[in-house]
């Protein structure tokens, strides 16, 4: 296959949280598509304010940030009933066992390490979005009784 195409060809609203302004700018350039919008936040506190006012399909969350780090932000996302099931990909320069284990214990959906390969990350986002939406649809079907044992 040759030529450029958008990997994120599904409607999505993404929140990219990182204290590095260059990475935030790269995220807006590399992750946005005609159907996918990317908002940014510089730290966990700013991310939580955004989450309180806007609906997002997925969050990409750095761990090492001032004001409110990614671990504490993730814990607060999971503690809030409105965002409890929100897909969260941790994106960080840390790849130590403690950080990985803690992120997943706190509820990370996926984990990627920096430096970011933007194209590969876009595929990861697409996969996580599809899995998250399928899970939400299944829960909805079970809750409404539409899914019954054969």
């Amino acid at each position: 296959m040759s030529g450029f195409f958008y990997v994120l060809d599904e409607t999505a609203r993404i929140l990219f949280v990182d204290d590095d302004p260059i990475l935030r700018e790269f995220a807006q350039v590399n992750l946005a598509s005609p159907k996918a919008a990317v908002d940014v936040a510089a730290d966990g506190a700013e991310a939580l304010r955004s989450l309180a006012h806007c609906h997002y399909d997925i969050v990409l969350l750095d761990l090492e940030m001032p004001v409110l780090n990614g671990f504490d932000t993730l814990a607060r996302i999971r503690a809030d009933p409105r965002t409890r099931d929100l897909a969260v990909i941790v994106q960080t320069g840390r790849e130590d066992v403690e950080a990985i284990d803690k992120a997943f214990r706190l509820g990370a959906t996926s984990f990627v390490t920096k430096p970011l390969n933007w194209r590969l990350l876009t595929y990861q986002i697409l996969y996580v979005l599809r899995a998250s939406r399928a899970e939400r649809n299944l829960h909805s079907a079970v809750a409404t009784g539409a899914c019954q044992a054969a």
Side-chain angles (χ1 to χ4, degrees):
M1 177 183 259
S2 64
F4 177 82
F5 67 96
Y6 288 104
V7 173
L8 281 175
D9 58 355
E10 297 180 14
T11 303
R13 187 152 187 197
I14 300 165
L15 179 60
F16 186 88
V17 187
D18 199 297
D19 59 322
D20 184 331
I22 294 171
L23 275 181
R24 291 194 306 269
E25 192 169 320
F26 279 175
Q28 290 180 306
V29 169
N30 289 289
L31 302 178
S33 73
K35 292 186 177 183
V38 179
D39 293 339
V40 295
D43 58 58
E46 189 178 329
L48 293 174
R49 286 191 297 274
S50 293
L51 288 166
H53 295 98
C54 299
H55 166 78
Y56 290 95
D57 298 293
I58 194 166
V59 173
L60 283 89
L61 181 64
D62 187 21
L63 293 179
E64 304 295 327
M65 297 180 292
V67 183
L68 186 63
N69 70 43
F71 292 121
D72 293 338
T73 304
L74 182 56
R76 291 185 188 188
I77 288 170
R78 293 298 178 235
D80 186 334
R82 295 170 299 164
T83 56
R84 179 179 309 146
D85 298 321
L86 180 62
V88 178
I89 297 176
V90 169
Q91 49 91 18
T92 181
R94 292 187 60 180
E95 46 187 326
D96 56 284
V97 172
E98 292 82 14
I100 294 166
D101 289 346
K102 185 173 182 180
F104 280 108
R105 272 196 316 271
L106 289 171
T109 310
S110 188
F111 192 104
V112 296
T113 56
K114 295 176 184 174
L116 298 172
N117 176 319
W118 294 101
R119 193 62 163 191
L120 190 57
L121 179 59
T122 306
Y123 279 104
Q124 179 83 1
I125 292 167
L126 185 61
Y127 173 80
V128 169
L129 275 173
R130 287 177 177 168
S132 176
R133 289 173 175 163
E135 183 177 6
R136 189 171 38 248
N137 289 340
L138 181 61
H139 285 290
S140 178
V142 169
T144 60
C147 188
Q148 307 222 350

